[in-house]
Amino acid sequence: MAGLLYTVTASLLLLPLIYPAQAFTSGGIGLSLGHRLKCWGIARSLPTPTRRTIFHSPVGKRIQMANVIIVGFDPSVVDYSKWPDLNPEKLLASLEENRVLVSELGHHVDDCMVDLGETAESRLTKALKTKDYDCVILGAGLRTSEEHFLLFEKLLNVVHEHAPKARICFNTNPFDTAAAVQRWV
């Protein structure tokens, strides 16, 4: 028993030495899930989960893939005068980049782009009924604009009703969605 414990402990301590480029996340607090999946060579072979798919790492740790949905304004309805450095092309590019980054963390990602309120609630309700989501990200554009406060409140209640077990995450801009997911999933 002591020999097995020593082997596992030594393996965990040697991981940063074996994979030095992937040893620490940007926060410097250990191997990130995306890096571990890449190091173990299973990141590209992961199936799309219907609910949490559980994998076992080489050191016996359970890895869970989460279903994540990113809720935000459709780029065609955004008022870009508030964000002079942002335009529809940059927003679309950042949304796709976020999608890839969250996928690289080992999660399945869906988008739910909403309008300014005409069909936003019904669209989100329909999306949340398609599968069980483990994480719902409500974009900064929904949250930070005073004129969209009531819409944000309505959408938050839709999430509460149709995905009561999901973690709710908030990004601060279109470029830090993956960090929001990492905080809660």
Side-chain angles (χ1 to χ4, degrees):
M1 181 69 170
L4 177 64
L5 182 60
Y6 174 78
T7 304
V8 171
T9 305
S11 298
L12 290 174
L13 292 174
L14 291 175
L15 278 175
L17 298 175
I18 297 168
Y19 305 108
Q22 294 87 10
F24 298 97
T25 62
S26 58
I29 55 171
L31 291 169
S32 73
L33 178 59
H35 288 141
R36 283 181 282 191
L37 291 174
K38 284 181 184 176
C39 292
W40 297 326
I42 60 173
R44 287 178 288 289
S45 62
L46 298 175
T48 302
T50 53
R51 183 68 172 139
R52 291 185 181 205
T53 304
I54 299 175
F55 295 94
H56 293 276
S57 72
V59 292
K61 183 172 179 173
R62 293 165 51 106
I63 302 170
Q64 293 187 348
M65 291 180 60
N67 288 319
V68 176
I69 186 167
I70 301 171
V71 184
F73 284 126
D74 186 296
S76 65
V77 301
V78 174
D79 178 10
Y80 294 99
S81 65
K82 296 177 186 177
W83 300 284
D85 293 338
L86 196 60
N87 59 42
E89 294 79 25
K90 281 186 182 179
L91 182 57
L92 284 170
S94 72
L95 294 172
E96 184 56 32
E97 183 180 338
N98 280 314
R99 200 173 161 68
V100 168
L101 289 172
V102 174
S103 294
E104 286 178 353
L105 292 172
H107 306 304
H108 178 76
V109 184
D110 292 320
D111 292 317
C112 180
M113 297 298 135
V114 298
D115 58 20
L116 297 175
E118 296 81 23
T119 63
E121 290 174 83
S122 62
R123 188 169 195 158
L124 180 57
T125 300
K126 183 178 176 183
L128 292 175
K129 287 183 176 182
T130 61
K131 70 173 75 163
D132 292 328
Y133 285 99
D134 303 299
C135 178
V136 178
I137 299 169
L138 294 170
L142 289 166
R143 273 185 319 106
T144 60
S145 298
E146 287 185 28
E147 68 267 14
H148 302 302
F149 176 75
L150 291 177
L151 176 60
F152 168 69
E153 196 173 62
K154 289 176 185 178
L155 294 178
L156 189 58
N157 281 308
V158 167
V159 172
H160 180 67
E161 181 179 345
H162 297 285
K165 294 181 181 179
R167 298 286 186 154
I168 298 173
C169 302
F170 303 118
N171 61 5
T172 59
N173 61 58
F175 308 100
D176 67 353
T177 301
V181 171
Q182 284 184 300
R183 284 193 300 267
W184 291 102
V185 177

